[in-house]
């Protein structure tokens, strides 16, 4: 990246007390490369290698191999061109509405022989710029989502591309602060999941009591 690409931005109002470094501005295309995914006919799905699909990204900020249910048969050349690796950030490429365009999820672990679908984009950061789980949360934050939507095209469908995402101006904290933020957000997510399971349990009990 060029030094001229860095510009100091105002820091967020709410931060952990031990961090005082200012967040730094980057042009996303200078710290991340983008690639469109694999397009195959229906007959190639149902067996083969894991494939990250649209719904894997739509519903999750971060994904691991056990969450990837789709499989596809690919050639050696397709495997090479569309392979995925830990740290990749995926974005939904097209949607009926702007609300679901450019939704993101980061890959938290390597998926041997994994590939990704043509309905999503793969963003591959340069080494050391993102903490893996932080990037999934970060690109879903309100400010970044507004930028993604602003740079998308909307006709009959909402559409984004690697070229559009490359134009985004983003600001990032240090890796240490990214790790602290991601840890807090994971804790919140885990608490929400626990509460949701408890609510579902009590709702099932109520239905059983009243015979519904």
């Amino acid at each position: 990246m060029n030094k001229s690409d860095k510009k100091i931005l105002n820091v967020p109002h709410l931060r952990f007390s031990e961090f005082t470094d200012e967040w730094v501005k980057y042009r996303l295309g200078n710290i991340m490369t983008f690639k469109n995914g694999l397009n195959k006919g229906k007959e190639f799905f149902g067996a083969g290698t894991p494939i990250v699909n649209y719904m894997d990204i739509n519903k999750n900020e971060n994904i691991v191999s056990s969450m990837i249910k789709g499989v596809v048969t690919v050639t050696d050349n397709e495997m090479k061109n569309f392979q995925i690796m830990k740290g990749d950030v995926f974005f939904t490429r097209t949607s009926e509405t702007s609300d679901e365009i450019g939704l993101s999820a980061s890959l938290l672990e390597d998926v041997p022989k994994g590939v990704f679908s043509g309905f999503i984009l793969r963003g591959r950061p340069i080494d050391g710029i993102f903490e893996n789980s932080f990037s999934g949360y970060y690109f879903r934050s309100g400010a970044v989502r507004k930028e993604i939507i602003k740079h998308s095209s909307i006709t009959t469908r909402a559409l984004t591309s690697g070229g559009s995402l490359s134009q985004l101006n983003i600001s990032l904290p240090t890796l240490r602060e990214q790790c602290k933020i991601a840890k807090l957000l994971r804790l919140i997510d885990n608490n929400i999941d626990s509460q949701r399971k408890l609510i579902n349990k009590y709702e099932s009990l109520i239905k059983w009591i009243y015979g519904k």
Side-chain angles (χ1 to χ4, degrees), residues 11-78:
V11 299
H13 295 296
L14 182 61
R15 300 179 72 186
F16 294 103
S17 59
E18 66 265 37
F19 297 105
T20 58
D21 294 339
E22 293 180 313
W23 289 31
V24 179
K25 182 176 179 180
Y26 299 93
R27 179 65 61 89
L28 188 57
N30 291 331
I31 61 173
M32 182 178 283
T33 59
F34 293 94
K35 185 174 178 61
N36 290 334
L38 172 68
N39 290 301
K40 299 279 283 189
K42 293 181 179 180
E43 66 272 20
F44 292 97
F45 289 86
T49 194
I51 182 169
V52 179
N53 285 313
Y54 180 95
M55 293 309 297
D56 297 325
I57 310 307
N58 184 276
K59 300 298 184 182
N60 304 287
E61 291 88 359
N62 297 297
I63 54 177
V64 295
S65 57
S66 61
M67 300 165 66
I68 303 171
K69 305 302 181 184
V71 288
V72 63
T73 302
V74 297
T75 65
D76 290 341
N77 190 52
E78 288 170 334

Side-chain angles (χ1 to χ4, degrees), residues 103-166:
L103 290 175
S104 64
S106 61
L107 186 62
L108 299 187
E109 59 187 29
D110 287 322
V111 180
K113 297 184 178 181
V115 295
F116 65 106
S117 163
F119 291 102
I120 58 179
L121 294 163
R122 184 193 70 196
R124 180 160 290 172
I126 64 172
D127 289 341
I129 198 72
F130 283 108
E131 193 278 332
N132 291 341
S133 56
F134 172 83
S135 58
Y137 289 114
Y138 177 77
F139 285 103
R140 285 193 177 233
S141 64
V144 179
R145 291 285 306 136
K146 288 180 181 178
E147 286 297 307
I148 291 175
I149 294 171
K150 184 173 71 175
H151 285 81
S152 301
S153 61
I154 302 175
T155 53
T156 55
R157 291 179 64 86
L159 179 68
T160 192
S161 66
S164 297
L165 292 175
S166 293

Side-chain angles (χ1 to χ4, degrees), residues 186-198:
R186 287 196 300 270
L187 178 62
I188 293 172
D189 273 349
N190 290 338
N191 286 336
I192 291 173
D193 287 340
S194 297
Q195 292 300 315
R196 186 178 292 117
K197 290 176 182 178
L198 186 61

Side-chain angles (χ1 to χ4, degrees), residues 172-186:
L172 295 175
T174 63
L175 283 176
R176 284 185 60 246
E177 189 170 359
Q178 288 183 36
C179 290
K180 192 76 176 283
I181 293 170
K183 183 177 181 179
L184 173 62
L185 294 176
R186 287 196 300 270

